[in-house]
Amino acid sequence: MTVQETLEKAVSKVLNEKVTIIGCSRTDTGVHANQFCFNVKTESSIRCIGFCRGVNGELPDDISILGCEDVPLDFHARFDCKGKEYIYKIHCSESKDPFGADLAFHYRRKFNVEAARQAAKHLVGTHDFASFCADCTNVSTTVRTIYSLEIENSGDSVIVLVKGDGFLYNMIRIITGTLLDISEGRIAPDDIPEILAARDRLKAGRTAMAHGLYLNKIFY
């Protein structure tokens, strides 16, 4: 079962016509979204507020329509997107968080925040991120721009926050996994420029688990 399938069934029922939604991105199984945008064309004259209330009434508890607005007919949720922001949640403790099961990565070590921040500086800007892509066969270019990469720490919680113009397949999870390897001393923070230049996935760190990742914001 997918989020798209569930949404299409609910939207089709409310609009009384079979529809296909166009999402702003695709994500791996287990990844979450605080905000996700999609567009749909319809012959229905339903008002936006009616759409929100109607579709929410058909959705399960783990999916919610946050808003709706009319857009030009040529609007495309994916291709008109100007940027995205992701967060990756890490729970750093020997003890698991019973309220965060499948909502944050349980990391049983102390996270070296300063080393991760030093490495993050090398990733900000426009670079070829081929070393941070699990499968680059379906993209015309592996060059992307990261506007900001911040690591926030409060108690046992570490959040990696990344904002950019677009991201490659598994790019955020590989960046986070590389930061984890840096925290453990497997990779040095100043090795990042060499890893980028190599354009080789094997040079970067591990791929972090899917359930710690959230699509946080979409920019149009």
Side-chain angles (χ1 to χ4, degrees), residues 58-71:
E58 300 295 332
L59 289 172
D61 290 340
D62 57 352
I63 305 175
S64 179
I65 300 295
L66 304 179
C68 171
E69 61 183 272
D70 295 318
V71 291

Side-chain angles (χ1 to χ4, degrees), residues 35-67:
Q35 184 185 90
F36 183 91
C37 296
F38 69 90
N39 67 274
V40 61
K41 292 182 180 179
T42 177
E43 297 293 331
S44 173
S45 59
I46 189 171
R47 295 168 58 202
C48 286
I49 189 170
F51 178 87
C52 292
R53 290 175 177 174
V55 177
N56 274 331
E58 300 295 332
L59 289 172
D61 290 340
D62 57 352
I63 305 175
S64 179
I65 300 295
L66 304 179

Side-chain angles (χ1 to χ4, degrees), residues 98-218:
F99 301 103
D102 296 325
L103 298 175
F105 173 56
H106 182 200
Y107 186 63
R108 292 180 172 85
R109 305 187 185 195
K110 182 176 175 58
F111 188 79
N112 189 333
V113 176
E114 291 309 313
R117 286 173 176 164
Q118 184 179 342
K121 294 177 182 178
H122 296 295
L123 293 167
V124 175
T126 302
H127 304 286
D128 188 328
F129 284 96
S131 294
F132 295 86
C133 178
D135 182 4
C136 301
T137 57
N138 295 322
V139 293
S140 58
T141 177
T142 49
V143 174
R144 297 291 186 273
T145 300
I146 291 182
Y147 302 131
S148 62
L149 201 172
E150 301 172 4
I151 293 99
E152 301 173 354
N153 176 220
S154 178
D156 293 335
S157 173
V158 170
I159 294 179
V160 179
L161 190 152
V162 189
K163 185 185 298 183
D165 62 352
F167 298 94
L168 301 166
Y169 181 56
N170 278 355
M171 181 171 160
I172 304 297
R173 291 171 59 190
I174 297 171
I175 286 175
T176 303
T178 301
L179 295 179
L180 290 170
D181 283 346
I182 286 170
S183 176
E184 295 173 17
R186 300 172 186 269
I187 299 174
D190 291 336
D191 287 344
I192 296 296
E194 184 178 338
I195 293 172
L196 286 167
R199 301 184 72 252
D200 182 354
R201 170 66 189 93
L202 296 178
K203 299 296 184 181
R206 72 186 87 168
T207 301
M209 300 289 286
H211 63 268
L213 182 62
Y214 295 71
L215 176 57
N216 197 46
K217 291 181 182 177
I218 307 294

